[in-house]
Amino acid sequence: MSTQTKERPDIAPDDTTDDDRPKFFHYVKKNKIAESAVMGTHVVALCGEVFPVTKSAKPGSPVCPDCKKVYDGLKKGD
Ligand SMILES: [Zn+2]
C-alpha cells in the first residue's frame, strides 16, 4: 500500500512541434501544468523539454520515450 503524497507528474502536450511531425506528450508536474495553462509560463518536462502548455492531453497520443523512462524510474526507485 502506498500512502505517499509525493506529487506525480502528469502528461502535457508539447505544442511547439511542427504540424508534419507527430506530437509527443511529456511528463510535467501537475501543478506546473495548471500554472502554465493559466499564466502562460513554460514548463520543464522530465526529459528536459521546455514548452508552454496550451492544450490538455488527449488519450491515445504518444508519450515522449525519454519522459516515460524517467517517469518509470521515479515509480520504481523510492
Ligand atoms: Zn519528454
Side-chain angles (χ1 to χ4, degrees):
M1 269 300 186
S2 175
T3 54
Q4 62 177 336
T5 54
K6 196 197 287 179
E7 186 155 10
R8 287 214 187 124
D10 202 0
I11 51 171
D14 181 356
D15 201 30
T16 59
T17 50
D18 297 330
D19 282 337
D20 59 340
R21 286 159 67 191
K23 287 185 180 179
F24 277 126
F25 290 78
H26 298 271
Y27 277 112
V28 180
K29 285 181 180 173
K30 270 185 184 174
N31 64 329
K32 290 294 179 188
I33 294 174
E35 187 182 299
S36 177
V38 175
M39 310 284 286
T41 52
H42 284 54
V43 295
V44 182
L46 293 184
C47 67
E49 188 80 22
V50 179
F51 60 96
V53 179
T54 55
K55 293 172 184 170
S56 46
K58 283 177 192 162
S61 298
V63 175
C64 168
D66 289 336
C67 275
K68 200 170 189 313
K69 224 180 282 177
V70 178
Y71 184 66
D72 288 344
L74 284 179
K75 283 200 295 186
K76 283 169 193 164
D78 205 343

